[in-house]
Amino acid sequence: MTTLGTAQAAPGEMDTGRLSVGETRDGTEVGLPVAVIDGADDGDTLYMQAASDGDELNGVGVLQRVVPQLDPAELSGTILVVGIVNYHAFQVAEHRNPIDDTKTNRAYPGDETGTSTERIAAATFGAARRADLILDLHQGSTSRMIDECRVRCGKRHRLHDACLELAKVFDCGYVLDQKGPDGQLARAAPDEGIPTIDPELGGCVGWDEQSIQAGVEGVFNVLSYYGFADGSVDTAPQTRASGFEQYGAPAGGLVSLKPDLGQRVARGDTLFEVTDPFGGVKETVTADSSGVFWRTRRLPQVATGEYVCSVGTDVDSF
Ligand SMILES: [Zn+2]
């Protein structure tokens, strides 16, 4: 019998339930939606979660499509799923938990007697650490971004190769291979010996069909490659960036972006212009380094210093 919160499944069964993480302000119990799929045959354990950031819904879209397609009678091993991690932010369609204004992905491994976010991190980490592989489904929030997988453990970590392999199998086509900030699940879990990636499935308001589809295919690649499901996976070369340069607006106005997302840029290429309301060009910003045009703001209007775009740098392939 495999249990996660109130969900319980015997081999060959699946169940859904709730993982309790405290109460809301009116005393209602907060239960994160969870699913357990216990394969008929023995095998490894995969943990997946979505909406660690409450406005990042593509991962929820992926799980919504993947879970109904899983037949526990045909699977080996166990799949543990937390469908919506950042309960409070999800309720109000925000990025951070409004109870403590914190990102979940800075709070791992969490603290079960800590803040609201630390308690949610501790509860989900408790499930994640039972796994042999972890997929933490994110997106570039509501900004526009390419589909990519993040490897956050750092290049000197003993699990670096294993995390890169997982990213290659997930096959978004792009990988950001850069040590992440403290508190990320994709850093805390490798420290426990569990290969982990953070697939970043585009960036949008609501759902983006293309990125959800990339995520669904990525999950099924992982299930086949690591022996949870039948089938084989032909891995493809991934474009890897090891650096990430962010550009802000040197003046206020309206931004006109020049490259398309995913386009290669060379040092000195124009990334964007800042224009006035009558079309006059106030500033032109060029790339400091060559790389891949990776992420941009969604709205054109900017104040001086406001975020405009990012370029993935130090690019190679593996
Ligand atoms: Zn995120």
Side-chain angles (χ1 to χ4, degrees):
M1 186 72 77
T2 304
T3 301
L4 176 56
T6 61
Q8 289 191 324
E13 294 179 354
M14 71 176 294
D15 193 20
T16 59
R18 296 277 168 174
L19 176 64
S20 182
V21 288
E23 296 179 344
T24 63
R25 287 165 175 168
D26 70 0
T28 307
E29 185 175 4
V30 175
L32 310 182
V34 296
V36 174
I37 300 97
D38 194 353
D41 292 325
D42 289 343
D44 284 346
T45 297
L46 171 68
Y47 173 78
M48 299 190 281
Q49 68 174 33
S52 161
D53 295 310
D55 60 351
E56 298 185 358
L57 305 184
N58 280 342
V60 183
V62 169
L63 296 178
Q64 262 208 334
R65 292 190 196 181
V66 166
V67 170
Q69 294 185 60
L70 299 175
D71 180 357
E74 298 291 322
L75 290 174
S76 301
T78 304
I79 304 171
L80 305 172
V81 187
V82 177
I84 296 164
V85 171
N86 198 336
Y87 173 91
H88 298 283
F90 179 84
Q91 296 297 332
V92 292
E94 287 180 7
H95 190 77
R96 293 162 176 263
N97 181 348
I99 303 300
D100 52 20
D101 193 31
T102 304
K103 266 175 81 75
T104 314
N105 215 19
R106 299 292 180 275
Y108 283 100
D111 177 351
E112 60 189 19
T113 60
T115 63
S116 170
T117 295
E118 287 168 345
R119 288 171 192 247
I120 290 172
T124 51
F125 196 69
R129 70 186 308 168
R130 294 161 58 189
D132 301 289
L133 297 166
I134 295 174
L135 304 176
D136 184 12
L137 302 172
H138 282 259
Q139 66 188 54
S141 186
T142 56
S143 298
R144 299 166 60 242
M145 197 168 78
I146 58 174
D147 299 326
E148 44 119 331
C149 282
R150 294 193 173 177
V151 170
R152 293 309 225 167
C153 61
K155 291 186 175 179
R156 286 195 289 273
H157 198 282
R158 66 194 165 95
L159 261 59
H160 182 244
D161 286 347
C163 294
L164 277 185
E165 183 179 14
L166 182 55
K168 187 166 184 161
V169 169
F170 199 91
D171 192 22
C172 280
Y174 295 93
V175 172
L176 180 63
D177 181 13
Q178 187 187 51
K179 190 173 184 179
D182 286 346
Q184 291 197 324
L185 179 56
R187 276 197 55 196
D191 287 350
E192 300 286 321
I194 310 167
T196 303
I197 56 168
D198 163 359
E200 296 276 347
L201 301 169
C204 63
V205 179
W207 274 341
D208 169 55
E209 176 60 31
Q210 203 175 323
S211 295
I212 291 173
Q213 194 52 43
V216 170
E217 288 168 16
V219 172
F220 280 108
N221 284 349
V222 168
L223 293 176
S224 295
Y225 184 89
Y226 291 96
F228 295 91
D230 290 340
S232 61
V233 180
D234 294 324
T235 56
Q238 306 290 301
T239 299
R240 168 170 67 172
S242 298
F244 201 56
E245 291 182 353
Q246 306 220 77
Y247 292 83
L254 296 140
V255 164
S256 171
L257 297 159
K258 298 306 176 188
D260 292 327
L261 283 179
Q263 191 176 322
R264 292 279 188 146
V265 297
R267 185 169 184 269
D269 283 357
T270 298
L271 297 178
F272 63 90
E273 292 171 344
V274 181
T275 56
D276 68 23
F278 311 109
V281 175
K282 298 173 72 176
E283 295 279 358
T284 299
V285 173
T286 60
D288 294 333
S289 310
S290 62
V292 174
F293 201 58
W294 203 274
R295 183 176 191 259
T296 79
R297 64 182 292 102
R298 178 164 300 279
L299 296 172
Q301 68 273 36
V302 287
T304 303
E306 199 167 5
Y307 172 78
V308 176
C309 63
S310 308
V311 175
T313 64
D314 306 309
V315 174
D316 63 2
S317 75
F318 73 98

